[in-house]
Amino acid sequence: MDPALSVVRLTVREAIHTLSSSEDCGLILSTLRFLKRYLGETEDPALPEEQEEFATVHFSAFLRCLVIKLSPVWLELSPDGQLEELWDSFFLKGPADQAFLVLMEALESTAGPSFCLMKMAQLLANFLSQRRMAALMEEQCRPQKKPGFTLLQETLLNKVVGLPDHLGNRLQQDNLALFFPQNYFPLLGEEVVRVLQGIVDALRGGLDCSVSFMSRVLGKICIQGRQKEILDVLVPQLTVLTQGSCLWQRVCWRLMEQVPDRTMEAVLIGLVEATPGRPEVLSRLLGNLVVKSKKAQFVMTQKLLFLQYQHTTPMLQSLLGYLAMDSQRRPLLIQALKELLETWGSSSAVRHAPVTQQHYLSAAILICLAHLREPELRDSQDELLASMMAGVKCHLDSSLPTVRRLGMIVAEIISSQIHPEGPPLKFQYEDDELSRELLALAIPGTSDSSTVLAGGSAPAPTASETLAKTMDDGVESANGSDPQVGPQGSDSDLDSDDEFIPYDMSGDIELKSNKAPLYVRDCMEVLTSSEDMERWEAALRALEGLVYRSPEATREVSVELAKVLLHLEERTCVSGFEGLRQRALVAVIVMDPARVAEYLTSQFYALNYSLRQRLDILDVLTLSAQELSRPGHLKRPTQQVSCGSGAPVLATSQADCTGVSGWRTVVEERIRSKTRRFSKQGFPRRELASSPSEFNSVAGYFFFPLIQHFDRPLVTFDLLGDDQLVLGRLTHTLAALMYLAINTTVAVSMGKALLEFVWVLRFHVDIYVRRGLLSAVSSILLSVPAERLLGDLSDELLEARSWLADVAEKDVDEDCREQAVRALLLLERLKDRLLPLSH
């Protein structure tokens, strides 16, 4: 045996014996100072071979001896603190990996709460504060040939990443703030940057290093859900370091490539979340990882696009921009666009996927189009167009307005990009925040600058952009900013009338040559047979007021008039035609509710009606029921006739009405300001109108015919088939009628029938229909008296309760879940009386 090695072994053995048996402070101090020679911390250090043997063979055993001797009495042998300082120095100056493992082992085995436990916790905090964790990890990145090195790395990995959990469980309420996850992992992120800096310096010096351990540390932290804490520190620093250094970029690429497959998803999601809207940063950190790693490719091109939809639009821009920034990755972008369009055009996906996911897919498609060049799109033109046409049909068939608008916007942009030489595809949709957001995504400049680098071309301007530009040009010309100004002294200057002030014509009313009919029958005759379009329009505008003013005359022809209005088509361009027709039809129903409602409900299931007419029937039934249930609704015609909205039947003009109401307001305000009152209680208040609900006696005419034949398909009308939009509107109409029938005698029968209707359709695939069904349940709970609910509908309510709980937990639509929760909260009011029935 080597004599030098025997000397180290004997020295350590004698030191351990002295520490275990001696109480002499001087002897203990001298022994510890002598052993520090093997750490290279004295003026006369030991030989390198002796230091290596001490570090690899004897250091852990010596530290365990120090842990065993630790006690308040033993430390007090040196009142000046020299013993405690020496005791600490062996853990803070020796090999970091062994010191860390002995400390963690001692913390887990020491009983607590105690002095020893808190002393070692504070020592571990000092260990972290003095950047010993960086030394520990840097040692694992150097080439190693020691036996059992793999097992040592696995142990260190578990202890380093799981330190907050271990210390939290061990110290409980005495835990130190440094060991909290929100403090520990940012500190660990700083240490990782220092280790990577050391690796870069070593590579510049020609030394070999490995980042495998760092990759495993990063992966394990992210898979435990702490990617935000560490990546918020790592990404900003690596962004700066990789900006001008190819070596730093290669180290980062290698760091990501060696992340284990089982933790790759967590790391990539964390990086995408940490770099929203910055694809160039993601490209510098990942390189061509999606090309080299099948797992990374699956996560970036499948899971983040199709299986997860909670990510923000800037994150999508970062992800797809990363795929577009390199020629090796662009084929993946084209393939992703094809798969996105295939899913977007799937009728099953449109029917079953939540609206938020469909919006996510639509945004992803538009971002892909903004990054791709025209030659790349031309190669797949036929396939993309086929997917687009299928998707437009599915979206336009949806009963949700948001889904239909998504289909319109995406189809417009896809057609302009894929087939720019053909006629543009144009739709009419609401210009809201959603529309503006999606239209902005189709412009390459709003996504990121990578498209310009990749040679992408801007898409053709949409109709809204063209209109906005035209309006801007018009404003500039009106402000005198047009650069093409005629020469001075031209005829245009001589004939100019710019110095005249324009006359205000905003209050002018167009004069009508024909007078409006004065009777309901005359109006009906004009609407059916007159060829004079001005007289026809005047009759339509006057009809509502005439109906309210002449209830008896209206009842004589109510059904015939309702038939005329139901089939009335816009024969000329009339402003607000649909509103005028709808209000007139509502007025007819209000004047003769039983007969007209019976007629309209019978026509709802009749042949030879369009879907638009059936939807109109549902709308006017709901509006008229709301009007009938409103207290004092019969006073409304007087107000309308006295000051109508431009109806020709009125004797006074709009200006006269405004003037009359104006001077009355001025006089009342003057009287009120001059009158002194000592108490507000004496102030005269207008009493609220109170009267029996007119809807009480006719609710059955509105409700029961609508609910009877929903399951009987016609040749051109099938509620349980393709006409899901009408079925959804029917469910909402029935829910509204149920709510308006509150406290009526027929409410119980309506509620029972409606619950049976809901129970039949409760598993309907259409989201809009399910929303209506849930609204119907809430209407039943609000309208039917509680005692009648318990007495007549207890079994149905118990079944509905389990269904509502299932919807609130599992339904894909957020609105459906919220409505189910609201219905459950209404059921909670009956909880005390429902519980005895459930046992």
Side-chain angles (χ1 to χ4, degrees), residues 218-219 222-223 227 231 256-257 259-261 263-275 282 285-287 289-290 293-301 304 308 311 315 318-319 322:
L218 179 61
C222 291
I223 203 173
Q227 59 262 53
L231 292 178
M256 300 304 169
E257 290 171 8
V259 171
D261 282 349
T263 62
M264 180 69 75
E265 178 183 342
V267 174
L268 291 178
I269 292 177
L271 283 173
V272 173
E273 290 176 346
T275 57
L282 202 59
L285 297 181
L286 295 180
L289 179 64
V290 291
S293 170
K294 292 295 183 182
K295 178 68 174 182
Q297 182 176 331
F298 170 76
V299 172
M300 299 289 276
T301 63
L304 288 176
Q308 298 180 0
H311 305 296
M315 289 175 56
S318 180
L319 167 62
Y322 160 73

mmCIF file of all heavy atoms in Angstrom, residues 218-219 222-223 227 231 256-257 259-261 263-275 282 285-287 289-290 293-301 304 308 311 315 318-319 322:
data_model
loop_
_atom_site.group_PDB
_atom_site.id
_atom_site.type_symbol
_atom_site.label_atom_id
_atom_site.label_comp_id
_atom_site.label_asym_id
_atom_site.label_seq_id
_atom_site.Cartn_x
_atom_site.Cartn_y
_atom_site.Cartn_z
ATOM 1 N N LEU A 218 -32.769 21.151 -15.236
ATOM 2 C CA LEU A 218 -33.779 22.023 -15.819
ATOM 3 C C LEU A 218 -35.069 21.264 -16.102
ATOM 4 O O LEU A 218 -36.173 21.743 -15.814
ATOM 5 C CB LEU A 218 -33.227 22.648 -17.108
ATOM 6 C CG LEU A 218 -34.163 23.587 -17.870
ATOM 7 C CD1 LEU A 218 -34.553 24.778 -17.017
ATOM 8 C CD2 LEU A 218 -33.512 24.047 -19.175
ATOM 9 N N GLY A 219 -34.947 20.060 -16.656
ATOM 10 C CA GLY A 219 -36.129 19.265 -16.962
ATOM 11 C C GLY A 219 -36.901 18.866 -15.721
ATOM 12 O O GLY A 219 -38.142 18.934 -15.701
ATOM 13 N N CYS A 222 -38.839 21.849 -14.312
ATOM 14 C CA CYS A 222 -40.002 22.220 -15.123
ATOM 15 C C CYS A 222 -41.130 21.201 -14.990
ATOM 16 O O CYS A 222 -42.300 21.579 -14.950
ATOM 17 C CB CYS A 222 -39.584 22.366 -16.589
ATOM 18 S SG CYS A 222 -38.507 23.787 -16.914
ATOM 19 N N ILE A 223 -40.804 19.921 -14.922
ATOM 20 C CA ILE A 223 -41.858 18.918 -14.844
ATOM 21 C C ILE A 223 -42.547 18.949 -13.485
ATOM 22 O O ILE A 223 -43.680 18.470 -13.336
ATOM 23 C CB ILE A 223 -41.294 17.506 -15.137
ATOM 24 C CG1 ILE A 223 -42.419 16.584 -15.611
ATOM 25 C CG2 ILE A 223 -40.615 16.923 -13.911
ATOM 26 C CD1 ILE A 223 -41.943 15.234 -16.076
ATOM 27 N N GLN A 227 -41.444 25.851 -13.741
ATOM 28 C CA GLN A 227 -40.730 26.433 -14.874
ATOM 29 C C GLN A 227 -40.782 27.946 -14.876
ATOM 30 O O GLN A 227 -39.848 28.607 -15.343
ATOM 31 C CB GLN A 227 -41.275 25.869 -16.194
ATOM 32 C CG GLN A 227 -42.747 26.094 -16.434
ATOM 33 C CD GLN A 227 -43.564 24.888 -16.061
ATOM 34 O OE1 GLN A 227 -43.445 24.388 -14.957
ATOM 35 N NE2 GLN A 227 -44.412 24.426 -16.965
ATOM 36 N N LEU A 231 -37.334 29.907 -15.268
ATOM 37 C CA LEU A 231 -37.171 30.455 -16.612
ATOM 38 C C LEU A 231 -37.313 31.968 -16.631
ATOM 39 O O LEU A 231 -36.777 32.620 -17.533
ATOM 40 C CB LEU A 231 -38.177 29.816 -17.565
ATOM 41 C CG LEU A 231 -37.945 28.332 -17.860
ATOM 42 C CD1 LEU A 231 -39.017 27.783 -18.773
ATOM 43 C CD2 LEU A 231 -36.569 28.112 -18.478
ATOM 44 N N MET A 256 -30.683 22.142 -24.413
ATOM 45 C CA MET A 256 -32.055 21.735 -24.710
ATOM 46 C C MET A 256 -32.124 20.358 -25.351
ATOM 47 O O MET A 256 -33.062 19.595 -25.106
ATOM 48 C CB MET A 256 -32.725 22.765 -25.632
ATOM 49 C CG MET A 256 -32.795 24.168 -25.040
ATOM 50 S SD MET A 256 -33.642 24.187 -23.441
ATOM 51 C CE MET A 256 -33.253 25.840 -22.878
ATOM 52 N N GLU A 257 -31.140 20.023 -26.159
ATOM 53 C CA GLU A 257 -31.153 18.717 -26.824
ATOM 54 C C GLU A 257 -31.014 17.565 -25.838
ATOM 55 O O GLU A 257 -31.543 16.469 -26.079
ATOM 56 C CB GLU A 257 -30.025 18.650 -27.863
ATOM 57 C CG GLU A 257 -30.256 19.529 -29.081
ATOM 58 C CD GLU A 257 -29.031 19.612 -29.965
ATOM 59 O OE1 GLU A 257 -28.054 18.855 -29.703
ATOM 60 O OE2 GLU A 257 -29.024 20.421 -30.917
ATOM 61 N N VAL A 259 -32.165 17.469 -22.759
ATOM 62 C CA VAL A 259 -33.271 17.350 -21.803
ATOM 63 C C VAL A 259 -33.946 16.002 -22.028
ATOM 64 O O VAL A 259 -34.268 15.649 -23.166
ATOM 65 C CB VAL A 259 -34.276 18.502 -21.994
ATOM 66 C CG1 VAL A 259 -35.520 18.266 -21.156
ATOM 67 C CG2 VAL A 259 -33.630 19.827 -21.618
ATOM 68 N N PRO A 260 -34.193 15.205 -20.997
ATOM 69 C CA PRO A 260 -34.841 13.898 -21.184
ATOM 70 C C PRO A 260 -36.217 14.045 -21.834
ATOM 71 O O PRO A 260 -36.918 15.051 -21.647
ATOM 72 C CB PRO A 260 -34.950 13.343 -19.755
ATOM 73 C CG PRO A 260 -33.895 14.065 -18.983
ATOM 74 C CD PRO A 260 -33.788 15.425 -19.596
ATOM 75 N N ASP A 261 -36.618 13.042 -22.599
ATOM 76 C CA ASP A 261 -37.887 13.103 -23.325
ATOM 77 C C ASP A 261 -39.084 13.275 -22.395
ATOM 78 O O ASP A 261 -40.048 13.966 -22.727
ATOM 79 C CB ASP A 261 -38.068 11.833 -24.165
ATOM 80 C CG ASP A 261 -37.232 11.880 -25.437
ATOM 81 O OD1 ASP A 261 -36.698 12.969 -25.749
ATOM 82 O OD2 ASP A 261 -37.106 10.842 -26.109
ATOM 83 N N THR A 263 -39.350 14.942 -19.766
ATOM 84 C CA THR A 263 -39.465 16.312 -19.263
ATOM 85 C C THR A 263 -39.403 17.354 -20.375
ATOM 86 O O THR A 263 -39.484 18.553 -20.101
ATOM 87 C CB THR A 263 -38.345 16.603 -18.248
ATOM 88 O OG1 THR A 263 -37.064 16.497 -18.899
ATOM 89 C CG2 THR A 263 -38.406 15.637 -17.083
ATOM 90 N N MET A 264 -39.275 16.907 -21.634
ATOM 91 C CA MET A 264 -39.125 17.846 -22.751
ATOM 92 C C MET A 264 -40.350 18.745 -22.902
ATOM 93 O O MET A 264 -40.227 19.955 -23.146
ATOM 94 C CB MET A 264 -38.888 17.064 -24.051
ATOM 95 C CG MET A 264 -38.724 17.929 -25.281
ATOM 96 S SD MET A 264 -37.200 18.880 -25.275
ATOM 97 C CE MET A 264 -36.013 17.588 -25.677
ATOM 98 N N GLU A 265 -41.534 18.171 -22.736
ATOM 99 C CA GLU A 265 -42.758 18.954 -22.917
ATOM 100 C C GLU A 265 -42.823 20.112 -21.934
ATOM 101 O O GLU A 265 -43.151 21.250 -22.316
ATOM 102 C CB GLU A 265 -43.978 18.047 -22.752
ATOM 103 C CG GLU A 265 -45.292 18.784 -22.873
ATOM 104 C CD GLU A 265 -46.481 17.883 -22.626
ATOM 105 O OE1 GLU A 265 -46.319 16.648 -22.690
ATOM 106 O OE2 GLU A 265 -47.591 18.420 -22.379
ATOM 107 N N ALA A 266 -42.528 19.852 -20.668
ATOM 108 C CA ALA A 266 -42.600 20.910 -19.659
ATOM 109 C C ALA A 266 -41.596 22.022 -19.957
ATOM 110 O O ALA A 266 -41.900 23.209 -19.786
ATOM 111 C CB ALA A 266 -42.351 20.322 -18.273
ATOM 112 N N VAL A 267 -40.405 21.658 -20.417
ATOM 113 C CA VAL A 267 -39.385 22.672 -20.718
ATOM 114 C C VAL A 267 -39.811 23.528 -21.909
ATOM 115 O O VAL A 267 -39.714 24.761 -21.869
ATOM 116 C CB VAL A 267 -38.026 21.990 -20.987
ATOM 117 C CG1 VAL A 267 -36.998 23.023 -21.443
ATOM 118 C CG2 VAL A 267 -37.523 21.277 -19.738
ATOM 119 N N LEU A 268 -40.292 22.886 -22.975
ATOM 120 C CA LEU A 268 -40.667 23.646 -24.168
ATOM 121 C C LEU A 268 -41.862 24.562 -23.901
ATOM 122 O O LEU A 268 -41.872 25.712 -24.354
ATOM 123 C CB LEU A 268 -40.993 22.669 -25.304
ATOM 124 C CG LEU A 268 -39.800 21.895 -25.870
ATOM 125 C CD1 LEU A 268 -40.252 20.926 -26.950
ATOM 126 C CD2 LEU A 268 -38.745 22.840 -26.419
ATOM 127 N N ILE A 269 -42.854 24.068 -23.169
ATOM 128 C CA ILE A 269 -44.000 24.917 -22.850
ATOM 129 C C ILE A 269 -43.549 26.111 -22.011
ATOM 130 O O ILE A 269 -43.990 27.245 -22.225
ATOM 131 C CB ILE A 269 -45.082 24.097 -22.123
ATOM 132 C CG1 ILE A 269 -45.694 23.078 -23.079
ATOM 133 C CG2 ILE A 269 -46.165 25.009 -21.563
ATOM 134 C CD1 ILE A 269 -46.714 22.167 -22.432
ATOM 135 N N GLY A 270 -42.665 25.855 -21.053
ATOM 136 C CA GLY A 270 -42.153 26.955 -20.245
ATOM 137 C C GLY A 270 -41.404 27.982 -21.066
ATOM 138 O O GLY A 270 -41.544 29.195 -20.848
ATOM 139 N N LEU A 271 -40.613 27.531 -22.035
ATOM 140 C CA LEU A 271 -39.867 28.466 -22.879
ATOM 141 C C LEU A 271 -40.803 29.283 -23.780
ATOM 142 O O LEU A 271 -40.598 30.489 -23.971
ATOM 143 C CB LEU A 271 -38.865 27.696 -23.735
ATOM 144 C CG LEU A 271 -37.600 27.220 -23.016
ATOM 145 C CD1 LEU A 271 -36.774 26.327 -23.930
ATOM 146 C CD2 LEU A 271 -36.765 28.402 -22.553
ATOM 147 N N VAL A 272 -41.815 28.637 -24.336
ATOM 148 C CA VAL A 272 -42.762 29.364 -25.185
ATOM 149 C C VAL A 272 -43.518 30.396 -24.350
ATOM 150 O O VAL A 272 -43.769 31.524 -24.802
ATOM 151 C CB VAL A 272 -43.720 28.373 -25.864
ATOM 152 C CG1 VAL A 272 -44.811 29.121 -26.614
ATOM 153 C CG2 VAL A 272 -42.964 27.470 -26.825
ATOM 154 N N GLU A 273 -43.885 30.034 -23.131
ATOM 155 C CA GLU A 273 -44.573 30.984 -22.261
ATOM 156 C C GLU A 273 -43.662 32.128 -21.837
ATOM 157 O O GLU A 273 -44.134 33.242 -21.608
ATOM 158 C CB GLU A 273 -45.091 30.262 -21.022
ATOM 159 C CG GLU A 273 -46.257 29.314 -21.301
ATOM 160 C CD GLU A 273 -46.676 28.552 -20.063
ATOM 161 O OE1 GLU A 273 -45.898 28.551 -19.072
ATOM 162 O OE2 GLU A 273 -47.764 27.954 -20.061
ATOM 163 N N ALA A 274 -42.354 31.861 -21.735
ATOM 164 C CA ALA A 274 -41.420 32.894 -21.290
ATOM 165 C C ALA A 274 -40.976 33.820 -22.415
ATOM 166 O O ALA A 274 -40.333 34.845 -22.145
ATOM 167 C CB ALA A 274 -40.194 32.238 -20.654
ATOM 168 N N THR A 275 -41.304 33.478 -23.671
ATOM 169 C CA THR A 275 -40.887 34.315 -24.808
ATOM 170 C C THR A 275 -42.092 34.672 -25.678
ATOM 171 O O THR A 275 -42.112 34.356 -26.874
ATOM 172 C CB THR A 275 -39.834 33.586 -25.652
ATOM 173 O OG1 THR A 275 -40.389 32.318 -26.082
ATOM 174 C CG2 THR A 275 -38.572 33.344 -24.863
ATOM 175 N N LEU A 282 -36.584 32.517 -29.115
ATOM 176 C CA LEU A 282 -36.823 31.072 -29.072
ATOM 177 C C LEU A 282 -35.924 30.341 -30.051
ATOM 178 O O LEU A 282 -35.427 29.240 -29.758
ATOM 179 C CB LEU A 282 -38.294 30.800 -29.400
ATOM 180 C CG LEU A 282 -38.894 29.479 -28.925
ATOM 181 C CD1 LEU A 282 -38.806 29.350 -27.422
ATOM 182 C CD2 LEU A 282 -40.330 29.355 -29.382
ATOM 183 N N LEU A 285 -32.428 30.043 -28.575
ATOM 184 C CA LEU A 285 -32.324 29.116 -27.446
ATOM 185 C C LEU A 285 -32.510 27.657 -27.858
ATOM 186 O O LEU A 285 -31.903 26.767 -27.259
ATOM 187 C CB LEU A 285 -33.369 29.475 -26.381
ATOM 188 C CG LEU A 285 -33.231 30.848 -25.725
ATOM 189 C CD1 LEU A 285 -34.318 31.044 -24.680
ATOM 190 C CD2 LEU A 285 -31.858 31.009 -25.084
ATOM 191 N N LEU A 286 -33.341 27.406 -28.872
ATOM 192 C CA LEU A 286 -33.653 26.024 -29.240
ATOM 193 C C LEU A 286 -32.910 25.548 -30.480
ATOM 194 O O LEU A 286 -32.689 24.338 -30.632
ATOM 195 C CB LEU A 286 -35.161 25.886 -29.488
ATOM 196 C CG LEU A 286 -36.084 26.113 -28.292
ATOM 197 C CD1 LEU A 286 -37.534 25.937 -28.703
ATOM 198 C CD2 LEU A 286 -35.746 25.163 -27.158
ATOM 199 N N GLY A 287 -32.523 26.454 -31.369
ATOM 200 C CA GLY A 287 -31.911 26.017 -32.609
ATOM 201 C C GLY A 287 -32.891 25.184 -33.421
ATOM 202 O O GLY A 287 -34.081 25.475 -33.500
ATOM 203 N N LEU A 289 -34.023 22.220 -32.750
ATOM 204 C CA LEU A 289 -34.388 21.115 -31.866
ATOM 205 C C LEU A 289 -35.577 20.337 -32.419
ATOM 206 O O LEU A 289 -35.626 19.107 -32.300
ATOM 207 C CB LEU A 289 -34.724 21.678 -30.474
ATOM 208 C CG LEU A 289 -35.163 20.658 -29.420
ATOM 209 C CD1 LEU A 289 -34.047 19.683 -29.114
ATOM 210 C CD2 LEU A 289 -35.609 21.380 -28.146
ATOM 211 N N VAL A 290 -36.556 21.025 -33.037
ATOM 212 C CA VAL A 290 -37.740 20.322 -33.544
ATOM 213 C C VAL A 290 -37.399 19.408 -34.706
ATOM 214 O O VAL A 290 -38.158 18.473 -35.006
ATOM 215 C CB VAL A 290 -38.813 21.333 -33.978
ATOM 216 C CG1 VAL A 290 -39.388 22.060 -32.793
ATOM 217 C CG2 VAL A 290 -38.264 22.321 -34.990
ATOM 218 N N SER A 293 -35.267 16.268 -32.614
ATOM 219 C CA SER A 293 -35.954 15.507 -31.566
ATOM 220 C C SER A 293 -37.405 15.277 -31.964
ATOM 221 O O SER A 293 -38.158 16.229 -32.192
ATOM 222 C CB SER A 293 -35.886 16.259 -30.226
ATOM 223 O OG SER A 293 -36.723 15.654 -29.263
ATOM 224 N N LYS A 294 -37.807 14.007 -32.048
ATOM 225 C CA LYS A 294 -39.193 13.679 -32.365
ATOM 226 C C LYS A 294 -40.135 14.141 -31.258
ATOM 227 O O LYS A 294 -41.268 14.571 -31.533
ATOM 228 C CB LYS A 294 -39.333 12.175 -32.573
ATOM 229 C CG LYS A 294 -38.630 11.658 -33.815
ATOM 230 C CD LYS A 294 -39.272 12.228 -35.074
ATOM 231 C CE LYS A 294 -38.612 11.658 -36.329
ATOM 232 N NZ LYS A 294 -39.190 12.250 -37.570
ATOM 233 N N LYS A 295 -39.682 14.045 -30.020
ATOM 234 C CA LYS A 295 -40.524 14.488 -28.907
ATOM 235 C C LYS A 295 -40.767 15.994 -28.984
ATOM 236 O O LYS A 295 -41.906 16.462 -28.816
ATOM 237 C CB LYS A 295 -39.847 14.128 -27.583
ATOM 238 C CG LYS A 295 -40.612 14.579 -26.346
ATOM 239 C CD LYS A 295 -41.897 13.819 -26.170
ATOM 240 C CE LYS A 295 -42.562 14.183 -24.862
ATOM 241 N NZ LYS A 295 -43.809 13.421 -24.633
ATOM 242 N N ALA A 296 -39.718 16.757 -29.243
ATOM 243 C CA ALA A 296 -39.878 18.203 -29.369
ATOM 244 C C ALA A 296 -40.765 18.558 -30.550
ATOM 245 O O ALA A 296 -41.591 19.479 -30.473
ATOM 246 C CB ALA A 296 -38.516 18.874 -29.512
ATOM 247 N N GLN A 297 -40.636 17.829 -31.645
ATOM 248 C CA GLN A 297 -41.465 18.093 -32.812
ATOM 249 C C GLN A 297 -42.933 17.821 -32.499
ATOM 250 O O GLN A 297 -43.821 18.598 -32.901
ATOM 251 C CB GLN A 297 -41.005 17.211 -33.973
ATOM 252 C CG GLN A 297 -41.768 17.433 -35.253
ATOM 253 C CD GLN A 297 -41.204 16.607 -36.400
ATOM 254 O OE1 GLN A 297 -40.016 16.304 -36.432
ATOM 255 N NE2 GLN A 297 -42.051 16.230 -37.338
ATOM 256 N N PHE A 298 -43.203 16.751 -31.776
ATOM 257 C CA PHE A 298 -44.593 16.446 -31.410
ATOM 258 C C PHE A 298 -45.167 17.533 -30.509
ATOM 259 O O PHE A 298 -46.308 17.972 -30.687
ATOM 260 C CB PHE A 298 -44.645 15.090 -30.708
ATOM 261 C CG PHE A 298 -45.990 14.793 -30.091
ATOM 262 C CD1 PHE A 298 -47.057 14.410 -30.882
ATOM 263 C CD2 PHE A 298 -46.183 14.912 -28.725
ATOM 264 C CE1 PHE A 298 -48.295 14.142 -30.321
ATOM 265 C CE2 PHE A 298 -47.422 14.655 -28.155
ATOM 266 C CZ PHE A 298 -48.483 14.273 -28.961
ATOM 267 N N VAL A 299 -44.377 17.994 -29.556
ATOM 268 C CA VAL A 299 -44.869 19.018 -28.632
ATOM 269 C C VAL A 299 -45.129 20.326 -29.360
ATOM 270 O O VAL A 299 -46.184 20.967 -29.179
ATOM 271 C CB VAL A 299 -43.868 19.224 -27.479
ATOM 272 C CG1 VAL A 299 -44.270 20.413 -26.618
ATOM 273 C CG2 VAL A 299 -43.786 17.977 -26.617
ATOM 274 N N MET A 300 -44.213 20.737 -30.217
ATOM 275 C CA MET A 300 -44.306 22.058 -30.845
ATOM 276 C C MET A 300 -45.311 22.107 -31.990
ATOM 277 O O MET A 300 -45.934 23.146 -32.216
ATOM 278 C CB MET A 300 -42.928 22.484 -31.359
ATOM 279 C CG MET A 300 -41.873 22.603 -30.267
ATOM 280 S SD MET A 300 -42.117 24.003 -29.181
ATOM 281 C CE MET A 300 -41.322 25.291 -30.126
ATOM 282 N N THR A 301 -45.483 21.004 -32.703
ATOM 283 C CA THR A 301 -46.361 21.025 -33.878
ATOM 284 C C THR A 301 -47.685 20.310 -33.671
ATOM 285 O O THR A 301 -48.564 20.393 -34.533
ATOM 286 C CB THR A 301 -45.647 20.391 -35.091
ATOM 287 O OG1 THR A 301 -45.360 19.011 -34.801
ATOM 288 C CG2 THR A 301 -44.351 21.126 -35.391
ATOM 289 N N LEU A 304 -49.048 21.662 -28.648
ATOM 290 C CA LEU A 304 -49.295 23.075 -28.383
ATOM 291 C C LEU A 304 -50.300 23.687 -29.350
ATOM 292 O O LEU A 304 -50.865 24.746 -29.064
ATOM 293 C CB LEU A 304 -47.981 23.861 -28.444
ATOM 294 C CG LEU A 304 -47.015 23.649 -27.277
ATOM 295 C CD1 LEU A 304 -45.725 24.405 -27.514
ATOM 296 C CD2 LEU A 304 -47.645 24.082 -25.970
ATOM 297 N N GLN A 308 -53.751 21.686 -26.633
ATOM 298 C CA GLN A 308 -53.805 22.730 -25.610
ATOM 299 C C GLN A 308 -54.203 24.036 -26.285
ATOM 300 O O GLN A 308 -53.651 24.386 -27.325
ATOM 301 C CB GLN A 308 -52.441 22.889 -24.917
ATOM 302 C CG GLN A 308 -51.980 21.640 -24.186
ATOM 303 C CD GLN A 308 -50.628 21.837 -23.514
ATOM 304 O OE1 GLN A 308 -50.031 22.908 -23.593
ATOM 305 N NE2 GLN A 308 -50.133 20.801 -22.874
ATOM 306 N N HIS A 311 -53.150 28.846 -24.316
ATOM 307 C CA HIS A 311 -52.043 29.774 -24.520
ATOM 308 C C HIS A 311 -52.524 31.041 -25.220
ATOM 309 O O HIS A 311 -53.517 31.046 -25.955
ATOM 310 C CB HIS A 311 -50.938 29.109 -25.327
ATOM 311 C CG HIS A 311 -50.450 27.812 -24.729
ATOM 312 N ND1 HIS A 311 -49.835 27.753 -23.501
ATOM 313 C CD2 HIS A 311 -50.518 26.532 -25.169
ATOM 314 C CE1 HIS A 311 -49.529 26.495 -23.222
ATOM 315 N NE2 HIS A 311 -49.946 25.745 -24.217
ATOM 316 N N MET A 315 -47.968 33.944 -27.587
ATOM 317 C CA MET A 315 -47.257 32.669 -27.518
ATOM 318 C C MET A 315 -47.371 31.906 -28.828
ATOM 319 O O MET A 315 -46.405 31.280 -29.287
ATOM 320 C CB MET A 315 -47.822 31.837 -26.358
ATOM 321 C CG MET A 315 -47.463 32.360 -24.987
ATOM 322 S SD MET A 315 -48.273 31.430 -23.683
ATOM 323 C CE MET A 315 -47.733 29.774 -24.052
ATOM 324 N N SER A 318 -44.987 33.423 -31.205
ATOM 325 C CA SER A 318 -43.622 33.011 -30.924
ATOM 326 C C SER A 318 -43.362 31.599 -31.436
ATOM 327 O O SER A 318 -42.330 31.323 -32.061
ATOM 328 C CB SER A 318 -43.365 33.093 -29.411
ATOM 329 O OG SER A 318 -42.050 32.700 -29.100
ATOM 330 N N LEU A 319 -44.289 30.689 -31.190
ATOM 331 C CA LEU A 319 -44.122 29.293 -31.607
ATOM 332 C C LEU A 319 -44.063 29.164 -33.119
ATOM 333 O O LEU A 319 -43.124 28.563 -33.675
ATOM 334 C CB LEU A 319 -45.285 28.472 -31.033
ATOM 335 C CG LEU A 319 -45.475 27.057 -31.580
ATOM 336 C CD1 LEU A 319 -44.256 26.208 -31.278
ATOM 337 C CD2 LEU A 319 -46.729 26.420 -31.007
ATOM 338 N N TYR A 322 -41.075 30.846 -34.708
ATOM 339 C CA TYR A 322 -39.867 30.023 -34.562
ATOM 340 C C TYR A 322 -39.771 28.991 -35.683
ATOM 341 O O TYR A 322 -38.700 28.774 -36.258
ATOM 342 C CB TYR A 322 -39.896 29.338 -33.191
ATOM 343 C CG TYR A 322 -39.018 28.120 -33.070
ATOM 344 C CD1 TYR A 322 -37.632 28.237 -32.992
ATOM 345 C CD2 TYR A 322 -39.568 26.844 -33.052
ATOM 346 C CE1 TYR A 322 -36.830 27.119 -32.896
ATOM 347 C CE2 TYR A 322 -38.776 25.722 -32.951
ATOM 348 C CZ TYR A 322 -37.407 25.851 -32.875
ATOM 349 O OH TYR A 322 -36.607 24.745 -32.781
#
